[in-house]
Amino acid sequence: MNRREILLNRMNVLESQGMGCVGCPGTCCTFEANSMLITPLEANELFNYLKEENLLTSELKSKLQACVTQYRLEPKYINSKRSYLRKTYTCPFFNHHELGCPLPREIKPYGCLAFDSHHVELKASEHCYSETDILERRELLHPEEKEMNLRLISEFNLQWEKSPIPNALIEFWEKSNL
C-alpha cells in the first residue's frame, strides 16, 4: 500500500464533493498557517524527487536558505539534540514558478495532504484544517516508517526527528555532497 494512499483517497472524496483546493489562495502554504515539519523519510523522498527531476538548482538552494533566514527557522539545541520549535513560514515551493505548489501529490509531505478544505465555497479560513485523525490512521498502517526514519537518522547523522521543509532539504543536500 502506498504510504500516501489514505490521504489521497480522502482528498479525492472531498474534491468529488466540491471541497478541494481549487479557488483557494493557498493560505495553508504561507506564514499565516503553515508550520509544516517533516520526517527524515519525507525529506529523503522529496530530496530524491527533486534530484531525479533536475530541480536541485542554485536558485532553489538560495530560496531554501532565504526561507530559513526570513522566518528564523534555525534549530534550538537542547541536550545536544536539535529541536525545531513550530514556527510559521511560507513554504519555499509555494508559488515557485506557478500558482500553488508544483510538487506532485505523490511526493508531498503527509501533513500537506491532510490539510483539507471542508467547505464548497469558502476557502482559506476556519473551513480548512488538518485532519489529524487520518494522519494517525495513516501512521498505524505503516509501522515500518519508524525503522526507516531511524535508518535515515543514522545514515545521514541527523539530529532531528522532524524538521521544517527548507531545513531538512538543505541538510540532505549538504550531506549528499551535491
Side-chain angles (χ1 to χ4, degrees), residues 128-170:
C128 297
Y129 54 86
S130 182
E131 295 192 75
T132 55
D133 59 322
I134 202 161
L135 284 169
E136 290 167 1
R137 278 188 282 161
R138 192 211 66 76
E139 199 170 301
L140 289 173
L141 290 170
H142 300 284
E144 74 281 2
E145 285 184 11
K146 188 170 190 160
E147 181 60 36
M148 295 167 84
N149 278 307
L150 289 173
R151 256 195 324 264
L152 287 166
I153 287 170
S154 175
E155 179 183 340
F156 287 93
N157 192 28
L158 304 175
Q159 301 296 313
W160 48 270
E161 293 178 8
K162 285 197 170 191
S163 169
I165 294 169
N167 302 62
L169 290 176
I170 289 169

Side-chain angles (χ1 to χ4, degrees), residues 47-168:
F47 181 79
N48 286 332
Y49 165 79
L50 295 168
K51 187 169 135 184
E52 290 166 10
E53 296 296 317
N54 295 313
L55 297 172
L56 293 176
T57 63
S58 58
E59 176 189 2
L60 176 60
K61 194 167 197 176
S62 293
K63 193 167 187 147
L64 295 170
Q65 291 167 329
C67 183
V68 170
T69 301
Q70 179 178 358
Y71 296 104
R72 298 172 46 214
L73 298 175
E74 297 82 9
K76 306 294 180 216
Y77 289 89
I78 302 169
N79 298 330
S80 76
K81 284 243 181 200
R82 276 194 255 180
S83 176
Y84 289 96
L85 298 175
R86 241 184 219 282
K87 292 182 179 180
T88 60
Y89 64 96
T90 296
C91 179
F93 294 101
F94 181 65
N95 288 336
H96 188 66
H97 290 291
E98 58 198 53
L99 181 61
C101 179
L103 300 175
R105 289 180 174 181
E106 296 75 28
I107 202 68
K108 285 182 192 269
Y110 308 137
C112 295
L113 296 173
F115 199 93
D116 295 313
S117 171
H118 294 84
H119 195 279
V120 175
E121 297 167 8
L122 301 175
K123 308 289 183 183
S125 64
E126 68 275 1
H127 303 289
C128 297
Y129 54 86
S130 182
E131 295 192 75
T132 55
D133 59 322
I134 202 161
L135 284 169
E136 290 167 1
R137 278 188 282 161
R138 192 211 66 76
E139 199 170 301
L140 289 173
L141 290 170
H142 300 284
E144 74 281 2
E145 285 184 11
K146 188 170 190 160
E147 181 60 36
M148 295 167 84
N149 278 307
L150 289 173
R151 256 195 324 264
L152 287 166
I153 287 170
S154 175
E155 179 183 340
F156 287 93
N157 192 28
L158 304 175
Q159 301 296 313
W160 48 270
E161 293 178 8
K162 285 197 170 191
S163 169
I165 294 169
N167 302 62

